[in-house]
Amino acid sequence: MIPGGGQPNMQQLLQQAQKMQQDLANAQEELARTEVDGQAGGGLVRATVTGAGELRALKIDPKAVDPDDTETLADLVVAAVQAANENAQTLQQQKLGPLAQGLGGGSGIPGLPF
């Protein structure tokens, strides 16, 4: 209900919902194009993911490669990918958070905590 007892303008509400839906789709497309990085081992291993969380690149400095210690390299790779994914989640919150608030709080997008 609208203050004063009037009925909500359904056409206006529908237009607002469609605009918010389009804004959300645009933000998701932008996230899919935007890349963020994460690193480990002081930059010896770098991972690049999209804002949507897709792994795009993994760079390993030759100094990180020790044939006798592949476990450390594997740990660095995992840490770099995790750091990149954390950066992607931060970007998602920045881009989609305000839109989700306009939808009543929850984004309805699996994996997004807002």
Side-chain angles (χ1 to χ4, degrees), residues 57-79:
L58 186 63
K59 296 178 183 175
I60 301 172
D61 188 303
K63 295 175 200 167
V65 181
D66 179 353
D68 296 325
D69 187 13
T70 57
E71 289 179 21
T72 298
L73 177 58
D75 290 343
L76 290 174
V77 169
V78 169

Side-chain angles (χ1 to χ4, degrees), residues 5-6 11 19 30 32-33 36 38 43 46-47 50 52 55 57 59 67 72 74 76 78 86 88 91 94 107:
Q11 182 67 27
K19 181 184 180 324
E30 183 180 346
R33 291 188 309 267
V36 295
R46 295 180 180 273
T50 65
L55 181 63
K59 296 178 183 175
T72 298
L76 290 174
V78 169
E86 289 171 7
L91 182 63
Q94 291 171 348
S107 69

Side-chain angles (χ1 to χ4, degrees), residues 11-97:
Q11 182 67 27
Q12 184 179 8
L13 289 175
L14 180 60
Q15 288 174 348
Q16 288 174 344
Q18 288 173 336
K19 181 184 180 324
M20 288 186 335
Q21 186 176 28
Q22 185 61 48
D23 289 347
L24 182 59
N26 291 343
Q28 289 172 321
E29 288 175 17
E30 183 180 346
L31 284 171
R33 291 188 309 267
T34 304
E35 293 182 347
V36 295
D37 292 319
Q39 63 178 338
L44 291 175
V45 177
R46 295 180 180 273
T48 301
V49 299
T50 65
E54 178 186 346
L55 181 63
R56 288 280 175 95
L58 186 63
K59 296 178 183 175
I60 301 172
D61 188 303
K63 295 175 200 167
V65 181
D66 179 353
D68 296 325
D69 187 13
T70 57
E71 289 179 21
T72 298
L73 177 58
D75 290 343
L76 290 174
V77 169
V78 169
V81 172
Q82 286 176 336
N85 280 327
E86 289 171 7
N87 291 337
Q89 288 177 350
T90 299
L91 182 63
Q92 288 172 357
Q93 290 172 349
Q94 291 171 348
K95 295 287 182 185
L96 300 178

